[in-house]
Amino acid sequence: MSRSQSGPLGRHRTLHGQVVEWLGRRIVSGELANGSQLPNEADLAAQLNVSRGGVREAVKALAAKGLVEPRPRLGTRVLPREQWNLMDREVISWHGQLSDAAFLRDLLELRLMVEPGAAQLAAERATDEQLAVLENACARMAEEAGRVDADSAAFVEADLAFHLTLLRASGNQLVEQLGRLLEASLHHGLAASSHAPGGVSATLPLHHAVLVAVRARRPTAAARAMRKLIETTTDAVRRMTPEGD
């Protein structure tokens, strides 16, 4: 299908990516439930207006993520969630796009386990350049929060830059890799918390507290401030989701 043709697929960098995303989002959302059978190759190709080879390659990509299992002569079935690679970038992104409340809760729990420790290390290891990026991100967040016509997307981008830089500043390559892996979902999570009532006003001074502690080379204070920041974010998100009712 060319870009000018109509069909159920949205815009994506490649046609292959469109098919993977179209199917992946439906599996993650539960529209294609655990144990259900995907339409056969010919039907999917006709439905999506792509070649059968394109469908076949997309199914292989989803199988590599643990979402489906192609079985010769039996078709392709959706695998149970515990077999999914939940740390796959695209799987994470699909959860974020769907605003999955349970997944967002799990993300916040993971952040609570990782980011205070990263802040503690950053207070010991952050470079002058990384400190400058953290300061700039905090300044941009404050600027956006104070504008009457504040752009929430710009606030979230600055917020994301702050957290990813802090993870890099830990000086631990595995923590940094985790940040890159979680970037898409972290972006959606920060967007959700920024829209929570009182979320920005509550967390903005806590971001500054983390910055002050890291800049002053106070590891314990940095970890404590980051823990408080994520706990406050969690409370704000909980109030705006059904689970918080």
Side-chain angles (χ1 to χ4, degrees):
M1 183 180 74
S2 69
R3 290 185 182 275
S4 61
Q5 289 176 300
S6 62
L9 302 181
R11 293 181 63 83
H12 200 283
R13 287 179 302 172
T14 66
L15 185 59
H16 171 264
Q18 291 183 49
V19 180
V20 172
E21 182 171 0
W22 191 86
L23 289 168
R25 283 171 60 98
R26 279 153 182 78
I27 293 170
V28 169
S29 71
E31 182 179 335
L32 293 171
N34 170 28
S36 65
Q37 200 85 357
L38 263 60
N40 66 48
E41 197 175 275
D43 289 344
L44 268 178
Q47 182 179 358
L48 301 178
N49 197 18
V50 298
S51 69
R52 293 180 63 171
V55 170
R56 195 176 306 122
E57 289 305 310
V59 168
K60 287 181 182 178
L62 293 171
K65 300 175 190 298
L67 271 64
V68 300
E69 179 186 32
R71 297 173 295 177
R73 295 183 297 278
L74 295 176
T76 300
R77 69 180 179 93
V78 176
L79 291 174
R81 186 181 181 86
E82 56 265 24
Q83 295 190 39
W84 299 358
N85 179 8
L86 293 176
M87 299 304 284
D88 179 271
R89 282 176 180 266
E90 287 188 300
V91 176
I92 289 173
S93 179
W94 296 332
H95 278 94
Q97 292 167 21
L98 294 165
S99 300
D100 185 314
F103 193 79
L104 180 56
R105 181 201 64 220
D106 289 347
L107 172 63
L108 286 164
E109 289 179 353
L110 178 60
R111 290 181 59 196
L112 190 59
M113 288 184 275
V114 173
E115 290 193 68
Q120 181 171 337
L121 291 174
E124 300 170 348
R125 302 173 178 175
T127 65
D128 290 343
E129 181 181 358
Q130 288 166 338
L131 287 172
V133 174
L134 290 172
E135 289 172 355
N136 179 262
C138 261
R140 286 190 289 136
M141 290 167 65
E143 180 182 354
E144 286 299 326
R147 286 172 49 190
V148 175
D149 59 340
D151 180 355
S152 62
F155 181 92
V156 171
E157 287 300 328
D159 198 357
L160 182 64
F162 181 92
H163 288 276
L164 293 179
T165 300
L166 192 75
L167 292 171
R168 286 194 294 272
S170 71
N172 183 299
Q173 60 184 340
L174 298 180
V175 171
E176 179 183 353
Q177 178 67 33
L178 183 62
R180 291 201 298 270
L181 191 64
L182 293 176
E183 182 172 352
S185 191
L186 184 58
H187 185 281
H188 291 293
L190 293 173
S193 62
S194 72
H195 286 96
V200 170
S201 60
T203 61
L204 195 57
L206 294 173
H207 282 87
H208 188 257
V210 173
L211 170 62
V212 169
V214 171
R215 189 170 51 199
R217 307 297 182 183
R218 298 173 58 201
T220 301
R224 186 185 306 119
M226 179 56 76
R227 177 172 290 277
K228 179 64 175 175
L229 169 56
I230 298 174
E231 288 174 344
T232 301
T233 299
T234 300
D235 289 342
V237 170
R238 186 179 293 122
R239 289 195 299 270
M240 66 178 292
T241 61
E243 291 185 352
D245 293 340

